[in-house]
Amino acid sequence: DDSYVLKIFDKPQRTQSCDCERSSAPNLSQALYFYNDAALIAKITAPEGRLTKLLASERDDIRVLEELYLLTLGRLPNTEERLAAINYLQSAATRSVGFEDLLWSLFNRHEFLIMH
């Protein structure tokens, strides 16, 4: 049930077609959702999820990294972000854990909250 998520992001319930009642002001509940929500973490790590499918179909880590940036931020990573991500991915326990952490961190960026 997405009603909790819709509520904390001040989005009208899906029974309305108008987005006019939406507030654009960020709040603490939104930040806590991205930091701790078990359902969000389960979606990131889901065996049938988008990330798992992407990792299975694409062996080039740079292409996966770019795809995640495009999906979340609507842009490619800059040189500094790319280097930081590659360094982190090399130190991660597994490829999937590294990319799960990376995706979670992208969801927690202020830039993501502003855009979505």
Side-chain angles (χ1 to χ4, degrees):
D1 182 16
D2 291 330
S3 62
Y4 171 71
V5 178
L6 293 171
K7 181 179 178 182
I8 65 171
F9 285 94
D10 295 322
K11 188 89 170 156
Q13 296 298 313
R14 294 179 190 255
T15 57
Q16 301 172 349
S17 61
C18 176
D19 201 25
C20 53
E21 293 184 26
R22 182 178 186 186
S23 168
S24 60
N27 61 54
L28 182 59
S29 295
Q30 294 169 357
L32 291 174
Y33 170 78
F34 282 111
Y35 285 134
N36 311 327
D37 189 72
L40 176 63
I41 294 168
K43 287 179 182 181
I44 291 171
T45 61
E48 69 283 352
R50 189 172 195 167
L51 178 59
T52 303
K53 291 176 184 175
L54 178 61
L55 291 173
S57 67
E58 181 60 67
R59 297 304 312 157
D60 183 351
D61 287 351
I62 298 298
R63 294 185 78 151
V64 174
L65 172 66
E66 290 175 346
E67 183 69 19
L68 293 181
Y69 265 80
L70 288 170
L71 288 169
T72 57
L73 304 180
R75 65 173 179 81
L76 294 171
N78 63 35
T79 303
E80 184 179 329
E81 292 166 334
R82 187 182 311 265
L83 290 173
I86 290 168
N87 287 336
Y88 178 76
L89 291 168
Q90 289 173 346
S91 69
T94 66
R95 183 175 187 244
S96 62
V97 167
F99 276 108
E100 288 167 1
D101 290 347
L102 177 66
L103 181 55
W104 181 82
S105 71
L106 289 170
F107 284 141
N108 281 285
R109 289 186 64 145
H110 183 66
E111 184 178 354
F112 178 80
L113 289 172
I114 299 270
M115 292 186 61
H116 300 283

